[in-house]
Amino acid sequence: MAGELVLIVEDKEENLELVRDLLQAHGYRTLEAETAEAGIALAAAHHPDLILLDIQLPGIDGMEALRRLKSVPDTAATPVVALTAYAMPRDRERLTYAGFDGYMTKPISIKPFLQQVQDACAGVRRKA
Ligand code: MN
């Protein structure tokens, strides 16, 4: 269960580095993008097993990026988990309704984060 390719789309460098280092330390391969536009292009080119998508991004945001990813055959079936600072019940509902396969609240907690990545790569869908 190692070696899965995870695309991280996150504009805050320290968050991106933390997530990347954690994933790589646990045997995952990573791709990184700091904008949704770049992330969508990487996803189409590399077919990651999982996309971790920040919601607040420069340019198009994570909600619009999800719509675009889900509307293209190449990435329609790829699990997408939101990385979000939002944690209110209404926000969770909004993410679920938008079609995210799960969400993670920042700052992340290491063990739940790794468990959720593992589950998402295995196709376990979590309701937000
Ligand atoms: Mn952000």
Side-chain angles (χ1 to χ4, degrees), residues 3 7 10 26 32-33 35 40-41 43 46 48 51 64 74 85 88 103 105 109-110:
L7 168 61
E10 165 67 65
H26 289 81
E32 295 147 38
T35 65
I40 290 166
H46 297 278
I51 300 172
E64 174 61 20
D74 265 354
M88 301 302 285
Y103 77 98
T105 305
S109 305
I110 293 174

Side-chain angles (χ1 to χ4, degrees), residues 10-12 54 56-57 106:
E10 165 67 65
D11 64 314
K12 291 243 165 39
D54 184 19
Q56 292 180 291
L57 291 163
K106 294 183 282 191

Side-chain angles (χ1 to χ4, degrees), residues 66-103:
L66 179 76
R67 273 192 288 277
R68 296 190 190 186
L69 288 164
K70 294 296 183 186
S71 70
V72 175
D74 265 354
T75 50
T78 307
V80 184
V81 169
L83 280 175
T84 177
Y86 310 132
M88 301 302 285
R90 273 186 59 185
D91 297 316
R92 282 178 225 155
E93 251 172 57
R94 193 168 137 256
L95 295 172
T96 303
Y97 184 75
F100 280 96
D101 296 277
Y103 77 98

Side-chain angles (χ1 to χ4, degrees), residues 109-128:
S109 305
I110 293 174
K111 280 181 83 171
F113 170 80
L114 289 169
Q115 185 64 53
Q116 194 168 356
V117 166
Q118 188 181 322
D119 288 350
C121 284
V124 178
R125 189 176 196 284
R126 285 195 190 188
K127 289 269 181 190

